[in-house]
Amino acid sequence: MTYENNIPEIAAALRAEGKRVALATVVSTWGSSPRPVGSQLVVDETGAMQGSVSGGCIEGAVVHEAMQAMQDGEPRMLSFGIADEQAWEVGLACGGKVQVYVEAVE
C-alpha cells in the first residue's frame, strides 16, 4: 500500500495508457480515522491500486465498488462506520466513520 499525494496524476497517466480507472476520495470522517479527508486511491481495470483511503481496513470494499463504477459508469458514495466495541473485527481499530466518493475517470 502506498500513500502518494499525486493520485490524480497517476490516474491520468493510467488513462493515457488506455486503461480504465476509478478514483476514490475520502470526503468526510467522524471520530478516529486512519486517513484524513482528501486522501485518495486509484484503481485500474485489473484491480491494482495505488494510494490509500483507510490504511487498509476498507480498501477491499472500496476496490470492489471502484471496479463496479468502471463497469457501469455510476459514481458511488460509500459509508463505513463501526461502534468502538466492534472496531477490531472490521479493521477500523479506533471506531469512527468514513465516507468515500468513488467515480470512474473518463
Side-chain angles (χ1 to χ4, degrees):
M1 183 170 318
T2 58
Y3 296 100
E4 288 104 357
N5 292 324
N6 58 342
I7 296 301
E9 290 83 7
I10 293 170
L14 291 169
R15 287 291 298 144
E17 294 173 7
K19 295 181 178 176
R20 292 187 307 162
V21 299
L23 273 177
T25 304
V26 175
V27 294
S28 70
T29 64
W30 182 87
S32 179
S33 175
R35 301 285 294 148
V37 170
S39 297
Q40 291 187 305
L41 170 73
V42 60
V43 180
D44 74 15
E45 61 199 29
T46 68
M49 65 178 196
Q50 296 185 60
S52 175
V53 291
S54 75
C57 49
I58 61 171
E59 261 73 1
V62 172
V63 167
H64 175 78
E65 291 297 328
M67 301 288 284
Q68 295 297 313
M70 283 185 267
Q71 288 182 351
D72 64 23
E74 296 294 323
R76 288 145 167 79
M77 182 67 78
L78 309 176
S79 296
F80 301 91
I82 194 71
D84 288 345
E85 57 274 4
Q86 295 175 314
W88 284 105
E89 294 175 27
V90 298
L92 285 172
C94 300
K97 296 179 182 176
V98 177
Q99 280 194 311
V100 179
Y101 183 74
V102 178
E103 60 187 331
V105 177
E106 300 299 327

